[in-house]
Amino acid sequence: MTGRRPDWLHPAFRLIEGEDSFVWADLTALPVPAGGIVPADRPSRVLAALAAAEAAGQGLLLARGAADPEGWQPEQGFTVTLESSGTTGTPKRLRHDFARLRGRLRGAAEDGARWLLTYDPGAFAGLQVMLTAAAAGALLVAVPGGSGGTIAALAQAARRHAVTHVSGTPSFWRAFLMALGDAELPLAAVTLGGEAADQPLLDRLAARFPNARLRHIYASTEAGALFAVADGRAGFPAAWLDDAPDGLALRIVDGVLDVRSPRAAPGVADGEGWLSTGDLVERQGDRVLFAGRLDGVVNVGGVKVSAEAVERRLLAVDGVADAMVMAVPSPITGHLLTATIVAAPGVDEATLRAGLRAAAADLPPAARPRALTFADHIPLSAAGKKSRKGRQ
């Protein structure tokens, strides 16, 4: 690939990918597959393909291996097709106009900014991080392999390159804090996305990195980048239901959040522009709080239960570093809830078990986990989320 540097890539941008280093001249030398289908396994490959596709005015599919790319054909003009992770179901393929995809990116230069890539390069969130760093002329640090490498490898890279900006899922952050231990990081920005951010985690991050800007972002492959919350509180202001930021409209229908966004992928909204997010929400005073996914509600003996809502209850228990609640099939009740717990270092297991039982005591019997297992970590999907595909 040869050609002019695109305007979305600052001349000072640099990428470190494992032991390799890239500037714009190095990216132009990378081969780009013909046909517009690119394996989205490395940020260098994705950035080179984006520049080539834009220069050629051709559509691009960032293939993550979740679906067979056979049969995909690029439309006329430069668009980017993303594949969803399929964490909670069948992966989807969404085509985005590149300008819309970058709709909320500010691209403001920050001297010395060093970003850590924790997401898949082909994921919506990963692409947002890469394009943000590229536009700002920052250093982007990536660890090849999986969703950016293991948590331990990401923590090692963060320390080695003294990263200043990290964006990841809440599940990533819980594991990352464990992997970091007492190591110092000069973080200026801490961002959460991809899952609902709970208050205990936000409080832990604020205490651990007091000099960092803390925010959590709400976005999806279908709806695009929607909004960011920077007041240190979980959920979002209830006032946004009447007056949402950044050209959005928000509403709650039967307990589910609907959005109307100028950055949504074409064809995903209804005739009035509304898109159901599938996220359950609850209005509590001046706040709207996330209460799990609609497709995560299961039937336990005739009672509708959200495993994610129970999980957030357990995450608030002192001494819990991480937790995952899942529904497993039961021949008697249809489903039962089980919980896997990661204890914080030095916490007594018997004491923690008592705290967990107390936290679940006022839940309906159907919502109380019937099995409690301790582990040293919670496995994450390629999207950096807790995989709940085990549900039936």
Side-chain angles (χ1 to χ4, degrees), residues 72-154:
W72 181 85
Q73 294 294 330
E75 291 183 353
Q76 192 68 27
F78 178 43
T79 60
V80 180
T81 299
L82 303 177
E83 293 181 341
S84 67
S85 64
T87 302
T88 58
T90 303
K92 298 177 183 178
R93 189 174 285 168
L94 284 305
R95 194 185 305 263
H96 289 266
D97 175 84
F98 191 59
R100 280 190 175 189
L101 198 62
R102 300 177 59 237
R104 291 196 77 254
L105 299 184
R106 304 298 184 241
E110 294 186 63
D111 290 341
R114 298 179 295 279
W115 281 84
L116 180 69
L117 181 63
T118 73
Y119 296 103
D120 262 358
F124 179 85
L127 198 56
Q128 293 284 298
V129 169
M130 291 159 54
L131 293 175
T132 297
L139 169 68
L140 179 65
V141 177
V143 179
S147 58
T150 67
I151 301 295
L154 287 166

Side-chain angles (χ1 to χ4, degrees), residues 135-288:
L139 169 68
L140 179 65
V141 177
V143 179
S147 58
T150 67
I151 301 295
L154 287 166
Q156 182 181 23
R159 293 192 299 266
R160 177 182 176 185
H161 297 288
V163 298
T164 59
H165 292 58
V166 180
S167 176
T169 65
S171 293
F172 161 82
W173 275 109
R174 294 186 195 97
F176 190 66
L177 288 173
M178 293 277 287
L180 273 181
D182 296 329
E184 293 296 325
L185 276 186
L187 290 190
V190 169
T191 306
L192 300 86
E195 298 171 318
D198 57 281
Q199 195 62 54
L201 178 59
L202 291 172
D203 292 343
R204 284 174 63 193
L205 289 169
R208 181 71 169 77
F209 306 109
N211 297 321
R213 299 189 305 275
L214 176 63
R215 62 178 187 156
H216 50 103
I217 290 176
Y218 186 61
S220 72
T221 305
E222 295 87 352
L226 294 169
F227 56 77
V229 180
D231 60 7
R233 299 174 62 191
F236 62 88
W240 288 2
L241 294 172
D242 299 315
D243 184 18
D246 290 326
L248 298 176
L250 306 172
R251 69 182 185 185
I252 302 174
V253 178
D254 296 328
V256 178
L257 182 65
D258 284 2
V259 301
R260 190 162 57 193
S261 170
R263 294 172 291 278
V268 298
D270 65 17
E272 296 181 347
W274 288 101
L275 168 66
S276 176
T277 65
D279 285 314
L280 297 169
V281 293
E282 299 172 351
R283 184 167 184 167
Q284 296 184 11
D286 67 345
R287 213 70 180 172
V288 176

